[in-house]
Amino acid sequence: MSDVRKEPSLETIISLAKRRGFVFPSSEIYGGFAGVYDYGPLGVELENNLKAQWWKKMVYDRDDIVGLDSSIFMNPRIWEASGHTKNFSDPMAQCNVCNTRVRVDKALQAIGIDADEKMSEEEISNLFDAHRSEIACEHCGSKDFSAVRAVNLLVQSNLGDFTEQGNSPSYLRGETCQGIYVNYKNVLDSTPVKIPFGIAQIGKAFRNEISPRQFLFRGREFEQMEMQYFVAPEDEMTEYKKLREYRWDAMLALGLQEKNLRWKQHKNLVFYAKDAWDIEYAFPWGFDELEGVHARGDYDLTQHTKGSGKPLEYFEQETGRRFTPHIIESSGGVGRLFLAMLVDAYREDVLNGETRVYLAFPPSIAPVKAMISPLLKNKPELVEKAREVYTALKKDIPQIMWDDNGNIGKRYRRQDEIGTPFCITIDFDTLGEKPELKDTVTLRDRDTATQTRISISDISSRIRVGTLNKGI
Ligand code: ATP
């Protein structure tokens, strides 16, 4: 049996994700809705496992970081103070033939031009004009595009607006970290934290992305996992280095293959940033941003001090000095990590002369830890015993599945394709046909497809060791 990793195409991953209940396109029976996705029965388990591991790494494993769950709607003045209402935009051009929109910085990058969204509108517009002859509309092939214009990414809502004109928009948050900044003082005043300390949050964010593509990589509604770490000005760069190392280790502990990860430093920094690096993953289209680890200086709290008129300084008791904390952040998307996990785990090999697809998820993040089944579903004595094993195990390990559909070979293949590390089969030997095997079951390993016999009383600890104690 070979175990050669075949690079999966994005289409292969999208189709597996839908077929097996990981991710569905949103509103599908109504023709869909661009840039939003629904996580299915397996997807929600995988997603929960990823979020739980992030929370463990960023909150439970640390004495200096606490959690938060701030609201999606906030006072619109926050988005003015942070600069989002003015500057949170992407450069867009529209095809004059078929109206398809392109994100200009990405189109330039695709032909090898070093452009990014931090450039000024004028700079990026000039760059686009200089390269118009090389950029074709991906829909109709035309090179006839409109002038470049900046499109604001904030999604507006009419929450609380009962005026006829509808002229005072509120926004669905464009990033979760603003909720952290505006609660910095509340956390400081209500908990024993002292600088340096961090606030971590997982939650939804919304952006009016110009061309949401690449599946979960770029959605209009997505979830972020962000940690903002508040430090004294002189410690910013040392803490920043530590955080970069911590996040890199966290990616490896999750089980991502190191060869598929790399660091990339930003060339064009926004004016307030001290330094910025992204962890990139080898997605099917190439390396691209998985998460950002940024040193943001004192910009965020300074802006909110100005915007709110409330002092957000830190008083250091030991020295009696007051300062505005500097912030370093780690900011990643659940969807991007989810997609990276699927791509990283995808394997094809040949088993008993047939091609088999399996997901080699690290057991700790696998959506289903074990499948339990009776060898034959028309033998009540097997079904009864299997149900007994299943019910007892489920109390210990909730992420298990019952499956008695089709023959046992088909069941194994199905579980392989969803990345279940273990399959447990109850057969006549379990019932004592061979007395020495009474109360033992077959345990099949996903990656090697080998089967061993273990006793029913050992199943729980075997699966726990195999699935829960790994990694983070
Ligand atoms: P990009 O340059 O790809 O648009 P960004 O640099 O604007 O991304 P940030 O604002 O730094 O992204 O957001 C932090 C993280 O949130 C990203 O690293 C990514 O994991 C996630 N993220 C951002 N935008 C999206 C999106 N539209 N869909 C899914 N995840 C996203």
Side-chain angles (χ1 to χ4, degrees):
M1 193 179 70
S2 69
D3 181 25
V4 181
R5 175 158 185 247
K6 191 170 170 233
E7 290 296 331
S9 68
L10 188 60
E11 289 65 38
T12 304
I13 294 292
I14 294 174
S15 130
L16 188 153
K18 177 162 183 227
R19 196 171 64 248
R20 291 296 178 206
F22 284 95
V23 181
F24 307 125
S26 161
S27 324
E28 204 183 5
I29 60 169
Y30 283 91
F33 200 57
V36 278
Y37 292 92
D38 297 336
Y39 289 84
L42 289 181
V44 69
E45 297 299 330
L46 175 55
E47 201 189 21
N48 283 344
N49 292 345
L50 291 173
K51 288 194 262 183
Q53 294 216 21
W54 186 88
W55 197 260
K56 175 167 183 337
K57 188 82 182 160
M58 300 311 285
V59 180
Y60 297 151
D61 285 357
R62 305 273 302 228
D63 293 332
D64 55 344
I65 303 180
V66 292
L68 180 79
D69 183 15
S70 70
S71 56
I72 285 171
F73 286 108
M74 296 191 281
N75 190 315
R77 283 168 54 209
I78 289 172
W79 300 106
E80 265 159 44
S82 65
H84 281 75
T85 48
K86 279 217 179 75
N87 304 323
F88 189 47
S89 60
D90 281 336
M92 191 264 280
Q94 190 156 339
C95 170
N96 284 330
V97 176
C98 72
N99 294 336
T100 298
R101 281 166 288 215
V102 288
R103 195 170 138 183
V104 171
D105 55 326
K106 299 289 173 197
L108 286 164
Q109 283 164 15
I111 58 162
I113 309 296
D114 198 14
D116 73 32
E117 78 268 32
K118 313 290 182 312
M119 287 176 155
S120 75
E121 222 174 306
E122 198 186 338
E123 274 173 322
I124 207 134
S125 180
N126 290 341
L127 210 51
F128 186 66
D129 286 343
H131 293 277
R132 274 175 183 267
S133 62
E134 298 157 58
I135 297 174
C137 168
E138 60 167 28
H139 187 242
C140 74
S142 156
K143 292 180 175 171
D144 182 10
F145 284 100
S146 69
V148 177
R149 74 180 174 90
V151 175
N152 193 286
L153 300 181
L154 280 181
V155 178
Q156 290 191 9
S157 95
N158 65 348
L159 185 83
D161 177 8
F162 303 104
T163 60
E164 289 280 309
Q165 303 82 351
N167 58 0
S168 64
S170 50
Y171 303 97
L172 277 76
R173 66 182 173 200
E175 56 184 23
T176 53
C177 55
Q178 296 302 328
I180 296 181
Y181 304 145
V182 300
N183 276 296
Y184 144 83
K185 199 97 180 70
N186 284 335
V187 172
L188 201 57
D189 293 345
S190 60
T191 68
V193 292
K194 275 190 178 160
I195 271 185
F197 75 95
I199 304 178
Q201 161 155 249
I202 300 178
K204 292 258 180 168
F206 304 82
R207 294 182 188 181
N208 220 347
E209 295 281 355
I210 294 164
S211 52
R213 252 185 269 116
Q214 298 159 311
F215 196 36
L216 305 172
F217 183 84
R218 189 174 302 289
R220 287 183 168 144
E221 170 178 343
F222 57 98
E223 210 162 7
Q224 289 187 311
M225 302 183 284
E226 297 202 291
M227 195 284 292
Q228 307 292 316
Y229 200 68
F230 301 82
V231 300
E234 65 276 14
D235 295 334
E236 181 170 3
M237 296 327 272
T238 356
E239 291 294 344
Y240 181 53
K241 184 164 180 289
K242 281 202 263 176
L243 183 61
R244 287 207 310 270
E245 284 163 8
Y246 194 73
R247 290 307 305 155
W248 182 260
D249 291 345
M251 292 297 176
L252 297 182
L254 266 179
L256 286 171
Q257 302 174 72
E258 194 160 11
K259 70 176 170 68
N260 291 333
L261 292 165
R262 73 175 187 199
W263 279 110
K264 186 174 175 202
Q265 187 173 24
H266 288 208
K267 287 203 184 108
N268 303 299
L269 290 174
V270 280
F271 69 92
Y272 53 79
K274 295 284 173 52
D275 197 3
W277 291 76
D278 294 334
I279 297 180
E280 293 192 329
Y281 179 78
F283 289 101
W285 58 90
F287 275 94
D288 217 335
E289 176 175 340
L290 183 57
E291 107 169 23
V293 188
H294 306 145
R296 303 181 54 86
D298 65 0
Y299 177 77
D300 305 294
L301 292 185
T302 305
Q303 287 303 105
H304 287 305
T305 304
K306 282 189 210 154
S308 66
K310 304 275 181 322
L312 297 175
E313 283 177 325
Y314 181 78
F315 175 64
E316 197 171 55
Q317 262 167 355
E318 298 77 17
T319 59
R321 78 170 165 155
R322 283 178 195 280
F323 59 85
T324 301
H326 286 216
I327 292 177
I328 56 176
E329 70 167 6
S330 111
S331 168
V334 177
R336 288 194 190 181
L337 186 59
F338 187 104
L339 178 57
M341 279 292 171
L342 282 177
V343 171
D344 217 64
Y346 187 88
R347 306 277 194 285
E348 280 181 22
D349 66 4
V350 175
L351 190 64
N352 306 327
E354 273 180 50
T355 303
R356 143 177 110 131
V357 169
Y358 68 102
L359 295 178
F361 283 137
S364 55
I365 68 125
V368 178
K369 309 299 184 202
M371 180 273 273
I372 320 296
S373 84
L375 181 64
L376 302 168
K377 80 169 186 188
N378 56 0
K379 298 284 176 203
E381 62 277 36
L382 288 181
V383 174
E384 194 188 329
K385 186 72 185 171
R387 275 279 169 203
E388 199 184 287
V389 172
Y390 172 79
T391 311
L393 194 61
K394 204 164 168 66
K395 289 198 185 106
D396 252 9
I397 303 173
Q399 288 176 320
I400 60 170
M401 188 189 268
W402 172 268
D403 189 358
D404 58 10
N405 236 334
N407 68 37
I408 195 77
K410 285 223 178 77
R411 292 179 217 161
Y412 288 161
R413 292 301 173 97
R414 243 191 330 262
Q415 295 300 323
D416 286 344
E417 227 187 347
I418 64 171
T420 306
F422 301 108
C423 288
I424 288 158
T425 305
I426 281 74
D427 57 18
F428 291 106
D429 288 337
T430 315
L431 303 179
E433 199 165 280
K434 283 199 198 98
E436 70 278 16
L437 294 181
K438 189 165 172 7
D439 287 331
T440 66
V441 295
T442 304
L443 182 86
R444 176 188 179 270
D445 179 90
R446 174 196 64 203
D447 300 347
T448 59
T450 50
Q451 303 188 15
T452 44
R453 267 209 95 93
I454 67 163
S455 117
I456 289 177
S457 55
D458 290 341
I459 298 176
S460 173
S461 59
R462 176 71 181 84
I463 292 175
R464 275 188 175 281
V465 170
T467 60
L468 304 177
N469 297 337
K470 243 192 113 176
I472 314 176

